[in-house]
Amino acid sequence: MAKLIISMDGTVLKDFPLSKERTTIGRKPHNDIMIDNLAISGEHAVVITILNDSFLEDMGSTNGTFVNGHQIKKHFLQAGDTIELGKYRLKYVNEVVQQAPKEDFERTMILRPGAALKPPAEAAPAAAPAVTPSMPSSPASSGGAQAGVMQAQTVGVIQVLSGGNAGKQMELTKTLTTLGKPGVQVAVIARRPHGYFITHVEGAQFPLVNGTMISTQARELKDHDVVELAGVKMEFFLKF
C-alpha cells in the first residue's frame, strides 16, 4: 500500500497509509492529514488513489502545493516524490510498480463554455444500448469475468444535458477524467477494468447521481445514470 511520510526539518513525524480513495490534506481538523500550521490552507490539497496509483491536486490553496521543488495544480505521484507544504515534507512511498502514465490524469473542464467536446455528430448514437446487468464485486466469479469482457468492449460516454454545452458528448477513454468548476465543485471519473466510478474531489456539496448525493467513497456509474455536478446535468451511458 502507498503511503505518505510526513517530516519537518529532517525529523519524521508520522506515516499516513493511502488506504482511502480520497485523502485530504489541510489545516482544518476534518482533513485526513491535518497539519496545524498557518502556512497550510484549511483545505490545501487532495490525493486520489485509484488501485496502485495516486494523484495529487492542489485545492486552491493560498501558498500553493509543490512537488520536488515545482509548484503543481495536479500531479501523478511517483515513488520518491516529495510534496512540500510550507516547512513540512510529505514523501510518497509506493512499493507497487505503477502502470498509469502521467497523461492518463487529464483535467477536462467540460462544464466551461467553449470546452473541447465532441459534437453530437461525432459521438455515440443517441440510441443507447439496453441497461447493462449489475457487475458482481468479485472478479473471480464467472459473472465477474463476463463483466470484465463487457467493459473491455465498451467505452463510457458523458452527454451534457443542460447549460451552454447541452447535447455535446465526451468519451471517457482516460484512466481518470476530472469534471467540474475549480473552487465550486469538482469530481473525478475513474475508468477501471470492471466499470466506471465517480469520486468527489472538491466543493462543499457532493455530486448527485440520479438525484441522490454520493458519499465520500467511489460510486459505480450504471448505464443511463444522470449526474449533476456544479449545476450541470449529464448522462452517463455505455457505447458498444
Side-chain angles (χ1 to χ4, degrees), residues 30-225:
H30 67 262
N31 287 282
D32 300 298
I33 301 177
M34 195 272 282
I35 303 177
D36 188 12
N37 187 282
L38 292 178
I40 311 300
S41 296
E43 296 176 349
H44 198 104
V46 63
V47 177
I48 303 295
T49 300
I50 307 293
L51 300 179
N52 297 325
D53 299 312
S54 295
F55 307 86
L56 172 69
E57 184 161 3
D58 182 84
M59 296 181 69
S61 64
T62 301
N63 295 319
T65 300
F66 295 78
V67 176
N68 304 330
H70 301 284
Q71 187 169 4
I72 61 94
K73 291 298 182 183
K74 58 181 183 292
H75 178 76
F76 174 71
L77 288 169
Q78 300 182 82
D81 278 351
T82 299
I83 304 168
E84 301 157 11
L85 305 177
K87 294 182 179 180
Y88 292 84
R89 301 291 182 268
L90 290 83
K91 184 176 181 179
Y92 177 71
V93 177
N94 189 353
E95 297 177 354
V96 179
V97 176
Q98 297 164 275
Q99 300 295 331
K102 293 183 180 180
E103 59 268 20
D104 271 1
F105 186 41
E106 179 179 272
R107 173 173 293 281
T108 306
M109 290 301 172
I110 71 165
L111 305 186
R112 285 184 173 180
L117 297 183
K118 284 189 174 184
E122 296 178 4
V131 175
T132 304
S134 298
M135 299 179 184
S137 57
S138 173
S141 66
S142 60
Q146 293 174 359
V149 172
M150 178 175 291
Q151 181 62 26
Q153 297 173 345
T154 63
V155 174
V157 179
I158 283 287
Q159 177 170 315
V160 182
L161 302 178
S162 64
N165 285 317
K168 294 185 178 180
Q169 300 177 354
M170 178 182 63
E171 293 184 0
L172 303 174
T173 57
K174 294 291 184 180
T175 302
L176 290 181
T177 301
T178 308
L179 308 174
K181 294 180 181 179
V184 178
Q185 193 177 34
V186 176
V188 64
I189 296 179
R191 185 185 188 187
R192 300 182 182 178
H194 54 288
Y196 288 83
F197 294 78
I198 185 170
T199 303
H200 175 72
V201 172
E202 178 185 352
Q205 297 296 321
F206 283 47
L208 303 178
V209 176
N210 301 327
T212 302
M213 187 177 296
I214 68 173
S215 68
T216 56
Q217 300 301 312
R219 161 73 179 265
E220 183 177 3
L221 291 174
K222 302 294 187 180
D223 202 17
H224 299 301
D225 274 351

